[in-house]
């Protein structure tokens, strides 16, 4: 069965050659133009629907399922896909304990292990909205300071495979129980990272130029309704009250392909903090989220080497290169390399559904 | 002479009771409605003018000076001032060596002094755009994790007196020499900070909830043309090429009033990195800036205690309280406290000009 059947129907924005942007859903290898449905579905962006709230999302989905079942659709090969919504604030978390442990061990060998607060709150930071780009956008290798007195193109360009959550309804102090009232759906995210720039710049205010040159997202926003939920992971120590109940987990299985070679399969179910907890934490201080806010999970890494979500971890900071299908070795990204992050999830029905793909090619 | 004469004319957005938002300039204690001038000046926001670029900014200023000279104006007491532009990405630097030294000494006594890269690049981070608010907006004391297992309202709520630069023309890899082609003008910024939340959360990704609840800006955007420039500070070691020439300095004198008591006068001329260098650094990796981007200088602190830009420094982390005019003592902010940051600058003419004020009152 297709992973883009009527039980999935992720939303995206497309255009045909010379045509304007329209909202559509993916059905198999076609996109169904939603403009005949009018109203919020006849817009050049997903943003108006995002702003409309959970009741309208549910109604829209019902209408879209009925319409898509008999719509001819347009082959995906004939359309261009665009960033599906206007990104308001972009934040990124650090919620995989395996990733945090690996990074600590590789980059801070003098103090390995999790930071003391890691199991008490979902650590996060703000990223750059202006450079969130849609899958397929070439990624120019960033230049910057690579160390004391050294300037040039990054030599340790990396990826981070993540899952992004798209906020529809604005709010502040959002309890975990209200997660699905505010979050519309999910995208896949590649948080491109220049490790040499990062190592030199990040103290004490966090990553800045190491991340801000590009963040790629998949063109398809999978509605929460399409996803089955699982129990959240066990958390020890028990989180503070404002982070409870933990909210749903999602059993997403990611894949990372490096020039067509599958190098890892990061398991989202292994994440420590849930998306509901991340949203509750983000807003507990009174900060507002807006329609179009995007918050990402942080690199998804499981406990084994073939489950990590970054090449820093996969190649132990470049010291243990991986062999690609063409026989070449890689520590970090070379110009011309293409990375594609894909994913599947148990759907709300019995089927596996696809999460779209986020791909990007490094250019000099 | 007024600090808001025809040689200043900062832009703002105002409304009269029941009326819509209009663009205006401040002249003395009045606001001159610019809508009769039409076009970019007859908008409910400064954003369209920001997007129009340097040549249009210069032309607009000439038209505004001529018009304002004979316009009656509306008393400021009768209008409401709004956020003058839509904030795109908000970034914040850390470019006062005195501030960085003080913070290091107070918060990281095991490793005082500047971080090793501090004199090599302007350290910065991304902040939250959605909570940039106009002067006068009450600031709700943030709640959050204050340490292991401790949740509640921040007990160490602080301010940071800063200068913000408003980007008009989009760009990337902006050389320091193109600073004035991209930056429209300046605002004053109060980067409210919860020191207890910050200390617990900030490793390794930087401040997050400690800052994201509110950032206040002055309602008046002073055009660069209104400001005299001075030589940039001497920098040792010499910066890398992409940070040269350093670009102009600005001899802004800030003031910080705590419940009406003047507690410090931070000198902007003491900043190490210039605004042109900050913009060049921010974009050197290929990151784009957009119309409405706001980047702040970082806390402005001079070498002496009465020149610091935060209460953390003023009261040595609360251990040396200051006495206000009413005889009360303060370490950090109490509910009901009001902080007003003001500033003056040598104008492009011979006059001192005002930078507007950014004020805010802490509420529970």
């Amino acid at each position: 069965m297709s992973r883009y059947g009527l039980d999935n129907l992720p939303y995206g924005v497309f255009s045909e050659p010379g045509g304007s942007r329209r909202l559509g859903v993916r059905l198999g290898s076609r996109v169904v133009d939603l403009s005949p449905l009018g109203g919020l579905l006849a817009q050049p962006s997903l943003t108006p629907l995002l702003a409309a709230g959970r009741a309208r999302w549910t109604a829209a989905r019902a209408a879209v399922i009925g319409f898509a079942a008999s719509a001819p659709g347009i082959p995906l090969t004939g359309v261009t896909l665009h960033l599906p919504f206007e990104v308001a604030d972009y934040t990124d978390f650090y919620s995989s304990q395996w990733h945090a442990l690996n990074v600590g061990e590789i980059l801070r060998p003098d103090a390995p292990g999790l930071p003391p607060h890691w199991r008490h709150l979902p650590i996060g930071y703000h990223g750059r909205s202006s450079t969130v780009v849609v899958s397929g956008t070439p990624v120019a290798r960033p230049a910057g300071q690579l160390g004391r007195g050294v300037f040039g193109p990054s030599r340790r360009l990396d990826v981070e495979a993540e899952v992004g959550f798209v906020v529809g309804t604005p709010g502040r102090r959002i309890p975990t129980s209200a997660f699905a009232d505010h979050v519309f759906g999910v995208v896949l995210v590649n948080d491109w990272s220049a490790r040499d720039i990062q190592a030199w710049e990040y103290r004490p205010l966090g990553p800045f130029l190491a991340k801000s040159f590009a963040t790629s997202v998949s063109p398809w926003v999978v509605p929460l309704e399409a996803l089955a939920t699982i129990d959240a992971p066990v958390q020890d120590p028990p989180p503070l009250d404002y982070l409870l109940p933990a909210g749903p987990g999602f059993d997403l299985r990611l894949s990372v392909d490096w020039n067509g070679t599958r190098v890892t399969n990061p398991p989202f179910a292994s994440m420590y903090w849930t998306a509901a907890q991340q949203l509750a934490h983000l807003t507990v201080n009174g900060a507002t989220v807006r329609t179009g806010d995007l918050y990402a999970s942080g690199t998804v890494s499981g406990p084994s080497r073939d489950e990590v979500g970054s090449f820093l971890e996969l190649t132990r900071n470049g010291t243990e290169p991986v062999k690609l299908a063409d026989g070449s070795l890689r520590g970090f990204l070379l110009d011309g390399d293409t990375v594609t992050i894909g994913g599947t999830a148990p759907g709300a029905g019995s089927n596996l559904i696809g999460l779209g793909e986020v791909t990007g090619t490094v250019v000099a």
Side-chain angles (χ1 to χ4, degrees), chain A residues 262-315:
Chain A
R262 176 74 39 98
V263 290
T264 77
N265 282 284
F268 189 75
S270 71
M271 301 297 280
Y272 189 84
W273 296 105
T274 70
Q277 290 173 320
Q278 291 168 336
L279 185 63
H281 184 66
L282 177 57
T283 60
V284 73
N285 67 343
T288 48
V289 290
R290 294 176 290 184
T291 299
D293 269 25
L294 172 67
Y295 68 97
S297 58
T299 308
V300 180
S301 290
S304 72
R305 184 76 72 94
D306 60 358
E307 294 179 319
V308 297
S310 73
F311 299 156
L312 175 77
E313 294 162 90
L314 180 68
T315 71

